[in-house]
Amino acid sequence: MYDNYLKFNSSRKQLTRFLHGLFVLFFVFGGSLRSYSAEALKSAELSASPSQLISKNKVLLSTSVGAERAVVNSNIGMLFLKDGKVDDAFFYFTDALNETGMHKCTRTHAFAEANLAYIEVLRGRGKGSSAKIRNAKFCARELNDLYLESEIEILLGNMQMHQGKYSEAF
């Protein structure tokens, strides 16, 4: 009778220790696993109005530096593009591209370059856009980032639709 009680009590202690360890792991180390305080927006995740998100990101832009600043610039550029303000989007994507500088094969650089190519097509100056898209796709493949590559493919399809190349767009 006492053997069963001791087994249950020790199992309970082990379970409590295990759960406590998991709590500490997620609570303490969860915040330090992020690489940037600003994460890249994904086009499928835009639920709030672009103007609200733009103002929040502009506040974040004033305090960010380096790679984080490039991510925030890219986010603002995407929000302006979704809002139909192509000239503002061009400015922020160019700034994001300049912020990445020598780090040519980063997620932010490739995304900004692909969006700049898309904006060139929207403006009717799509001659150099294919080289930018090729560079962005190459970078996405080098990074082995399937999500980035799919975003670039979506932009490429939109570019081809805008140019009237409907069969190539699909």
Side-chain angles (χ1 to χ4, degrees), residues 14-25:
Q14 287 177 342
L15 180 63
T16 304
R17 286 181 184 158
F18 176 74
L19 291 175
H20 180 70
L22 279 178
F23 174 77
V24 169
L25 179 70

Side-chain angles (χ1 to χ4, degrees), residues 35-36 38-45 67 70-71 74-75 78 93 96-97 100 103-115 135-152 155:
S35 59
Y36 301 118
E39 294 183 8
L41 287 173
K42 295 180 171 55
S43 61
E45 296 175 351
V71 170
S74 183
N75 289 347
M78 187 172 76
F93 281 126
L97 204 60
T100 58
H103 310 290
K104 293 233 180 213
C105 202
T106 62
R107 179 174 172 57
T108 307
H109 186 90
F111 189 69
E113 191 169 26
N115 276 291
N135 290 340
K137 281 175 65 173
F138 173 79
C139 190
R141 289 181 180 153
E142 284 292 310
L143 295 170
N144 199 22
D145 191 341
L146 295 176
Y147 188 85
L148 176 62
E149 190 173 349
S150 68
E151 287 282 325
I152 293 168
L155 283 172

Side-chain angles (χ1 to χ4, degrees), residues 22 25-26 33 52 55 61-63 73 78 90 102 110 121 124 126 133 137 156-157 162 164:
L22 279 178
L25 179 70
F26 287 115
L33 294 178
Q52 291 174 344
S55 61
L61 184 64
S62 64
T63 60
N73 274 321
M78 187 172 76
F90 181 81
M102 301 301 281
V121 168
I133 286 288
K137 281 175 65 173
L156 179 61
H162 188 75

Side-chain angles (χ1 to χ4, degrees), residues 54 57-58 61 69-81 85-99 108 112 115-116 119:
I54 288 169
N57 277 289
K58 282 186 176 180
L61 184 64
R69 187 172 177 82
V71 170
V72 175
N73 274 321
S74 183
N75 289 347
I76 295 172
M78 187 172 76
L79 291 167
F80 273 126
L81 194 58
K85 299 176 181 173
V86 177
D87 293 331
D88 292 331
F90 181 81
F91 172 78
Y92 283 100
F93 281 126
T94 303
D95 207 24
L97 204 60
N98 293 336
E99 287 289 331
T108 307
N115 276 291
L116 284 173
I119 290 171

